[in-house]
Each structure stands twice: as C-alpha cells, then as structure tokens.
Amino acid sequence: LGSGGMGTVFLARDVRLGRRVAIKFLHSEDADITRRFILEARATARCSHENIVIIYEVGEFTGGPFMVLEYLQGKPLTKVLGNQRLPPARAVELMVPVVKALACAHEQGIVHRDLKPENIVVTDSGAIKVLDFGIAKVLQGDEPAEAAPGGPQGQPRLHSVEGMGED
C-alpha cells in the first residue's frame, strides 16, 4: 500500500476474522526505533475515535516489529485535492473530522506533530481518518515508563515519542 522512511505498509487478510487489514512493518531492528514504533502503536490505540485509524494488534516477525491496522479503502487527502482549490464549505467539511480526531488525541494527552494531507485518508464511503502517529508526543500521565519529569511549577512536560529535540 505504501512505503516511507521507517516502514512499509502491506494489504493483508485477517484469516481469523475474514477482513482486509493493513500491516505496517518497521524497516529497522534497532531497539530505540522499535521502542518508538511501539509507542506509536500505543498512542494510536489510546485514541478510540471514528476519525482515527484503528490499530488491532502489534507483534514481531523475524526480529522486526509490526502493527496491524484497519484497512482504509480510499485516497489520501493529497490525491482527493489534486491541484484544485476547494470551496470554503468543502474545506470545512473535510477538516471538521480532522479537528475532532485531534481533539480526541489531545484529550488523551497526545499531540500528533505530523499532520499533513498524506496522513489524512478520505475513504470511499466519505469518512475522514487521521493516521500515522509516528512522531507524536505523549503528555506525562498514565504511561509511567515513558513519562518525562514535570516541568516548571509542576506543569506536565511533553515527552517525544520520536526522541526529537528537547522537551
């Protein structure tokens, strides 16, 4: 289905449940990158919302991690838009579900940090789904092993899933 710097996504069949799924395999076997990949899976799984891709499972195959995701039959927003300029009403129609998805993520203490048209899918039925929480930041909270120490005046600090930059 696609490939990027960190992994490749394949279309597969869940033979137990008889449905199509997307399987994202990580290209690296580096322990730190694997940890971030698992954190991406956790961040995605914590966000149960109709406009966020569903993650079904994580696992390991021949030493490399993978995650099984809901298969979205549709197109990334980049292909839906092409080079055309949208009427304002259509732009709002497309963006309201994205904002709702991000609000859900923020309620879970997650900041996406890589929102772009390639990470938004418009399904064939017209649903809008946000995906790829690979460089999300997770606020300190109910993930004690991954939490960063509190900031000034006891305010929570952001912890980078990707390990990018200082908090």
Side-chain angles (χ1 to χ4, degrees):
L1 295 173
S3 187
M6 295 295 289
T8 303
V9 181
F10 295 93
L11 176 60
R13 174 158 301 281
D14 177 342
V15 293
R16 281 183 255 149
L17 298 176
R19 63 181 171 191
R20 292 189 290 181
V21 296
I23 302 180
K24 183 176 184 178
F25 287 96
L26 188 63
H27 287 166
S28 173
E29 293 180 19
D30 177 87
D32 187 50
I33 292 173
T34 298
R35 181 187 64 82
R36 292 191 312 244
F37 186 82
I38 298 303
L39 287 174
E40 173 188 353
R42 284 184 188 162
T44 304
R46 284 175 56 183
C47 297
S48 178
H49 190 274
E50 65 183 321
N51 300 114
I52 297 176
V53 67
I54 298 168
I55 182 164
Y56 297 129
E57 183 179 350
V58 293
E60 205 171 284
F61 179 73
T62 63
F66 69 88
M67 69 176 77
V68 181
L69 303 155
E70 162 187 28
Y71 169 62
L72 301 173
Q73 190 165 343
K75 298 178 186 172
L77 189 56
T78 48
K79 294 201 180 198
V80 171
L81 297 176
N83 290 329
Q84 67 180 335
R85 190 175 166 107
L86 291 180
R90 178 65 175 142
V92 168
E93 181 182 301
L94 289 170
M95 288 301 102
V96 165
V98 173
V99 171
K100 288 179 177 180
L102 294 177
C104 173
H106 293 179
E107 287 170 4
Q108 295 299 314
I110 297 165
V111 180
H112 190 285
R113 294 189 352 146
D114 195 25
L115 189 64
K116 56 188 176 186
E118 294 87 350
N119 290 337
I120 299 169
V121 171
V122 180
T123 68
D124 291 349
S125 64
I128 310 292
K129 295 276 189 164
V130 176
L131 39 122
D132 201 354
F133 282 77
I135 62 170
K137 279 188 173 236
V138 180
L139 290 174
Q140 179 178 344
D142 54 354
E143 297 275 344
E146 302 301 331
Q153 290 105 20
Q155 295 177 353
R157 292 181 53 193
L158 291 174
H159 170 76
S160 175
V161 173
E162 189 70 19
M164 298 173 58
E166 293 297 313
D167 293 333

